[in-house]
Amino acid sequence: MRPVHLISILFLVAVVFAQTPPSAIPAPSDVAAPPSDALKTASGLATKVITPGTGKDHPGKDEVVTVDYTVWTADGKMFDSSVARGKPITTAVNRVLPGLGEGLRLMVVGETRRMWIPESLAYKGQAGKPAGMLVFDVTLSDMPTRAPSDVKAPPSDAQRTRSGLAYKVLTPGAGTRHPKSTDEVTVHYTGWTTDGKMFDSSLTRGKPSTFPLDRVIPGWTEGMQLMVTGEKVRFWIPQNLAYQGKQPPYGMLVFDVELINIQ
């Protein structure tokens, strides 16, 4: 069974503003209005680069991004911050406020940008939501659905199993237990073909996927048993451990997989 059929939705909106974070971050001195050197777009969005990025590519409107942010109302009151909570968020660009989505498409990885988002590009007077202009400081740290540079073939430091599966740990996990082939697991994942085309991602749909390991492609069944909770691994799965040429996507497949939980 293909993992794509086992998914539901992660975040409906990147910035929910559901709770007040534990400690306030002071508002910038220009929170009340964009300065004269801010970049203004035709829509009314104003932005200014605070820290230049190291990347070259801008997120697309349907792309997934990982960001840290703090947001204030124009009177300097902070009402939400991933920075204060100590955890970045990952969400699709097209699922956030219109002004935030427009601003994100101007950014590159590593960049921090301040955005002055007029009410017409924010909550538009929606009851129970912050009124007026919003000011965001946003740092773009990753575009996790963008194909990695080693998508064409496993690098020399990748580990290989007897079956032909290649893998590389991207982020170590804190867990010690490995899932068994009969276990059910919850994961986030993105899959690409070797030409860099993304064909599936739980991130774009908004919720981790949960499935039994004996009902996925053989490369997943084998590879997931090497992981521990909290770990993120890149797998290069040859065609004979994927769909065996019987259905698309054909050829070797590359997956980034984060193991969230073992049921």
Side-chain angles (χ1 to χ4, degrees):
M1 180 179 293
R2 298 176 62 183
V4 64
H5 297 311
L6 299 162
I7 308 192
S8 34
I9 299 194
L10 156 82
F11 296 117
L12 292 178
V13 180
V15 184
V16 179
F17 310 126
Q19 297 179 343
T20 302
S23 58
I25 296 173
S29 59
D30 52 12
V31 71
S36 58
D37 60 346
L39 170 69
K40 296 179 176 64
T41 69
S43 69
L45 174 70
T47 75
K48 181 178 179 178
V49 174
I50 306 301
T51 304
T54 55
K56 296 181 180 180
D57 298 326
H58 302 281
K61 65 181 179 65
D62 298 319
E63 196 151 15
V64 172
V65 294
T66 300
V67 299
D68 253 326
Y69 69 90
T70 301
V71 57
W72 302 268
T73 51
D75 59 0
K77 293 179 181 178
M78 188 193 85
F79 66 94
D80 194 28
S81 175
S82 68
V83 177
R85 287 191 297 273
K87 186 175 182 180
I89 65 164
T90 298
T91 186
V93 172
N94 61 11
R95 292 186 179 180
V96 299
L97 298 173
L100 180 56
E102 181 182 352
L104 284 168
R105 294 196 296 273
L106 301 173
M107 299 180 69
V108 296
V109 170
E111 179 182 312
T112 299
R113 186 177 289 244
R114 185 163 298 150
M115 306 178 193
W116 293 262
I117 300 177
E119 187 173 51
S120 61
L121 298 176
Y123 287 112
K124 305 177 183 179
Q126 184 179 344
K129 300 295 185 180
M133 182 178 72
L134 303 179
V135 181
F136 282 80
D137 275 5
V138 183
T139 300
L140 175 59
S141 59
D142 194 16
M143 295 187 287
T145 54
R146 184 70 60 98
S149 59
D150 52 13
V151 73
K152 291 184 178 180
S156 58
D157 60 346
Q159 300 185 66
R160 298 171 187 269
T161 69
R162 291 184 177 181
S163 69
L165 176 70
Y167 67 98
K168 182 177 180 179
V169 175
L170 303 179
T171 305
T176 57
R177 176 188 167 200
H178 298 272
K180 301 185 294 293
S181 61
T182 54
D183 284 336
E184 190 171 77
V185 296
T186 298
V187 301
H188 261 313
Y189 71 91
T190 299
W192 303 271
T193 50
T194 53
D195 58 0
K197 293 180 181 178
M198 186 190 80
F199 62 88
D200 190 25
S201 177
S202 65
L203 297 174
T204 63
R205 277 177 288 276
K207 188 176 181 179
S209 173
T210 298
F211 51 83
L213 280 182
D214 57 3
R215 297 185 63 188
V216 293
I217 57 176
W220 269 65
T221 304
E222 178 185 359
M224 292 299 303
Q225 294 179 77
L226 303 172
M227 299 182 68
V228 295
T229 303
E231 190 172 45
K232 185 175 181 180
V233 175
R234 181 165 297 150
F235 293 106
W236 291 263
I237 300 178
Q239 182 170 263
N240 67 301
L241 297 177
Y243 297 115
Q244 303 171 5
K246 298 177 181 178
Q247 65 182 76
Y250 300 106
M252 184 175 72
L253 305 179
V254 181
F255 286 92
D256 278 5
V257 183
E258 178 187 2
L259 177 57
I260 297 171
N261 191 32
I262 304 170
Q263 267 67 22

